[in-house]
Amino acid sequence: MAYTIAIAGKGGTGKTTLAGLLVDYLVKQKATPILVVDADANSNLNEVLGVKVDMTLGDLRETIVGSEFQDVNPIPASMSKQDYVSAHFSRTLIEESGYDLIVMGRTQGKGCYCFVNDLLTNQINRYAGSYRYLVVDNEAGMEHISRGTLPSVDLVLLVSDSSRRGIQAAARIKDLVNELALAPRAMKLIVNRAPGDELDPGTVEEIEAHDFDVAGIVPNDSLIYEYDCQGRPTVQLPEDSKARIAFESIMSGIIT
Ligand SMILES: Nc1ncnc2c1ncn2[C@@H]1O[C@H](COP(=O)(O)OP(=O)(O)O)[C@@H](O)[C@H]1O
Ligand SMILES: [Mg+2]
């Protein structure tokens, strides 16, 4: 089974940025093939990776759920929904060098999605087995993981900003993960966008109060922000970008 890494944290803390850098790092380490799952409804991991998305899993789901209400049913009469999912699932996989990307797209509209969700869950789990790593960029509430759409998790990387309240928010997500009975083998905190090398003593106190396993600190890097504003993929950051160096050094201590 693939080693599954889920990235979690409050919105805006840098989950998607670090998910992109993680994929890039694993590819460089030849820890491939990787299945990258963008499980956030407001998905933009593809932009961080510089990949174009034509079809999301959400699009496929809408086609199937909406099929009965359309003048021309896109699903041939001779085909079951199951067959249709099997035939079209691979279209939602975007093949890149070293990894495939799948975008969950937006979550449900009206209608009953349980049946289709189950079909998609089966497909994802069937595919997941043939990868070495699974990297999942999550929504703050970890919806897909909590609903069981995604396979079980080996490592949760919790991302927080360097503020005291940020750490408190990360602690709530840590509690949520524990309540969901995800039982990840490890859960580690990454403090992102730190203003300097040392954290404020107040932040450190909060980290200790919540008994976090700290993986490391990624500094605020104006280049990341510049690339973002210019619409350039984050993975194109130079190798000596300080955030990239810090993050890769953290990951090299976790993935050996
Ligand atoms: N280490 C960093 N230094 C500077 N800017 C960062 C850093 N990490 C993330 N950002 C910026 O912060 C914003 C939010 O990051 P993003 O990865 O989209 O967060 P999330 O996925 O958690 O919502 C983006 O504009 C991103 O470019
Ligand atoms: Mg994001």
Side-chain angles (χ1 to χ4, degrees):
M1 225 11 222
Y3 183 89
T4 302
I5 305 174
I7 323 245
K10 199 174 68 153
T13 51
K15 290 182 297 295
T16 303
T17 302
L18 298 186
L21 290 178
L22 174 58
V23 172
D24 201 48
Y25 173 73
L26 291 173
V27 170
K28 278 190 293 191
Q29 295 298 309
K30 301 200 166 47
T32 55
I34 309 159
L35 178 60
V36 184
V37 182
D38 183 342
D40 190 338
N42 297 310
S43 39
N44 53 12
L45 178 57
N46 65 300
E47 274 157 32
V48 166
L49 292 167
V51 172
K52 203 175 151 293
V53 177
D54 289 321
M55 188 180 179
T56 70
L57 213 55
D59 296 332
L60 178 58
R61 186 171 44 202
E62 292 303 322
T63 307
I64 298 164
V65 174
S67 60
E68 288 144 27
F69 311 111
Q70 283 164 25
D71 296 339
V72 182
N73 189 334
I75 305 179
S78 62
M79 236 186 184
S80 70
K81 285 179 181 170
Q82 174 100 54
D83 292 341
Y84 189 82
V85 168
S86 301
H88 290 267
F89 183 82
S90 64
R91 286 177 59 204
T92 65
L93 273 184
I94 303 151
E95 288 174 41
E96 292 293 312
S97 144
Y99 68 90
D100 293 340
L101 169 68
I102 188 161
V103 179
M104 305 295 280
R106 76 188 178 86
T107 31
Q108 20 221 293
K110 284 185 193 140
C112 180
Y113 285 75
C114 309
F115 174 71
V116 180
N117 277 342
D118 284 349
L119 290 181
L120 296 175
T121 303
N122 289 342
Q123 284 291 331
I124 291 176
N125 283 290
R126 247 182 59 199
Y127 270 71
S130 43
Y131 294 90
R132 232 173 113 188
Y133 281 93
L134 226 88
V135 173
V136 187
D137 181 18
N138 286 281
E139 302 185 271
M142 314 270 286
E143 280 78 0
H144 287 288
I145 289 182
S146 58
R147 266 193 263 125
T149 325
L150 294 169
S152 63
V153 176
D154 294 286
L155 169 67
V156 173
L157 290 179
L158 260 174
V159 185
S160 171
D161 63 30
S162 59
S163 72
R164 186 165 200 142
R165 271 184 280 146
I167 300 296
Q168 287 165 355
R172 282 193 291 275
I173 295 175
K174 176 168 162 259
D175 293 342
L176 174 78
V177 171
N178 289 328
E179 279 164 28
L180 290 173
L182 289 178
R185 268 190 245 151
M187 178 150 42
K188 292 179 187 288
L189 179 74
I190 295 182
V191 180
N192 187 28
R193 303 197 76 163
D197 294 336
E198 297 281 315
L199 293 177
D200 186 276
T203 305
V204 174
E205 195 178 271
E206 199 65 34
I207 290 174
E208 285 169 0
H210 294 285
D211 206 20
F212 273 115
D213 176 358
V214 183
I217 301 169
V218 176
N220 188 67
D221 186 338
S222 56
L223 260 189
I224 290 192
Y225 183 68
E226 266 172 46
Y227 271 54
D228 185 335
C229 294
Q230 293 165 7
R232 289 177 75 179
T234 315
V235 293
Q236 287 177 9
L237 279 174
E239 289 298 322
D240 63 356
S241 118
K242 57 181 184 172
R244 191 199 271 278
I245 289 174
F247 179 72
E248 293 189 349
S249 140
I250 292 171
M251 289 319 302
S252 69
I254 299 177
I255 289 166
T256 44

